[in-house]
Amino acid sequence: MRRGKKVSWFLLFLIPLFILASCGSGTTESKTGTDAIEEHISTQLDLTGDGEGTFTITNESSEEAVLEMSSGQQIEFQLLNKANAVIYTYSTNKSFTNEMQEKKLRPSEEWTVPLNLEEELAGVPAGSYTLIVWSTASGLNEQKEKVAYELLTTPGKLVVQTQEVTFIGLVDPHSIEVKNVDGGTEVMQLSEVAISQFENLAEGTQLIIEYVEESGQKTVQTTFPAE
């Protein structure tokens, strides 16, 4: 009888060890889903001398990769000014199919998407910006490529100019009155991006203003503190 009790206690001791070993074995599984996509897919942003660009997605793994997008939109990009304010977003005012899309890439295969920047940025003033591009595929949304971008001057394109002014006050929600370095006053329009920069701004604040001029009207794009 005593021998039987010893065997029973021994089995009860082994059972928990077996359960723990079974639970621990799951931690050695390989990454799947979005983790695998992030680990084995590389992205690259390239610009050409004429201001055009491409976004390349490469499958770095030894297995086929499947990129899944929730709509017909394959990429997204934004243009930021010197104040890091977004002045252009590719998907704004665009319509895409709502159906799930897939793109399969063989091992080492590249998928290059043209950005068509000349066409897309036709209404943006020439100047120095930051271009940020990323894939809309699941798992790649945060894998963004960033590069300094010089928007070229072309006939008819507005050019960003700089002026030091002293802020006098708001004329209305979309325009301001300022005093220039010669002591004269003038009224400037505010772009949608610039409106928030003048909320609660103290009268008499000295600023460096970036603006574009069209038909004699200056429109503020962004501001910087005067040194």
Side-chain angles (χ1 to χ4, degrees):
M1 293 297 291
R2 291 182 178 176
R3 182 179 300 176
K5 290 182 178 180
K6 288 183 178 179
V7 171
S8 299
W9 282 109
F10 180 72
L11 290 175
L12 289 174
F13 178 75
L14 284 179
I15 289 172
L17 289 177
F18 178 76
I19 293 174
L20 289 173
S22 299
C23 294
S25 63
T27 60
T28 60
E29 293 179 359
S30 59
K31 293 183 179 180
T32 58
T34 57
D35 288 338
I37 289 292
E38 293 174 355
E39 184 176 353
H40 300 298
I41 297 295
S42 66
T43 55
Q44 181 174 326
L45 172 59
D46 294 298
L47 298 178
T48 58
D50 59 358
E52 280 297 343
T54 57
F55 187 72
T56 302
I57 304 170
T58 306
N59 179 11
E60 304 283 0
S61 73
S62 58
E63 299 179 357
E64 182 181 76
V66 180
L67 305 183
E68 296 181 346
M69 292 150 285
S70 60
S71 70
Q73 183 181 0
Q74 300 170 342
I75 61 167
E76 180 68 285
F77 69 78
Q78 292 181 324
L79 203 64
L80 281 61
N81 60 19
K82 292 181 179 179
N84 286 325
V86 177
I87 65 167
Y88 183 86
T89 300
Y90 167 71
S91 61
T92 301
N93 300 324
K94 286 186 174 64
S95 297
F96 303 96
T97 59
N98 291 324
E99 297 179 358
M100 180 73 73
Q101 305 289 319
E102 281 190 355
K103 177 68 176 180
K104 296 182 179 179
L105 296 178
R106 298 186 301 274
S108 301
E109 183 178 4
E110 295 182 348
W111 177 28
T112 299
V113 182
L115 301 182
N116 300 319
L117 295 174
E118 182 178 357
E119 176 182 346
E120 292 292 338
L121 304 178
V124 178
S128 300
Y129 300 95
T130 298
L131 178 66
I132 303 177
V133 188
W134 65 95
S135 168
T136 59
S138 178
L140 296 180
N141 311 69
E142 299 302 321
Q143 192 167 316
K144 300 180 179 181
E145 302 297 332
K146 180 189 299 186
V147 68
Y149 183 72
E150 193 72 26
L151 188 54
L152 304 178
T153 302
T154 56
K157 179 176 281 293
L158 299 177
V159 179
V160 175
Q161 303 179 65
T162 302
Q163 180 177 341
E164 183 174 349
V165 300
T166 300
F167 178 63
I168 296 177
L170 288 170
V171 177
D172 57 52
H174 295 88
S175 61
I176 58 171
E177 184 177 9
V178 298
K179 181 168 64 176
N180 57 39
V181 292
D182 296 325
T185 61
E186 54 185 306
V187 173
M188 296 183 175
Q189 297 296 311
L190 299 178
S191 66
E192 291 300 321
V193 173
I195 290 176
S196 61
Q197 299 177 30
F198 289 89
E199 295 178 352
N200 303 317
L201 185 66
E203 183 178 332
T205 301
Q206 292 185 302
L207 300 168
I208 302 296
I209 284 182
E210 286 191 346
Y211 68 93
V212 294
E213 186 171 2
E214 187 174 18
S215 301
Q217 177 63 63
K218 296 178 181 179
T219 300
V220 179
Q221 303 297 300
T222 191
T223 64
F224 305 94
E227 296 181 356

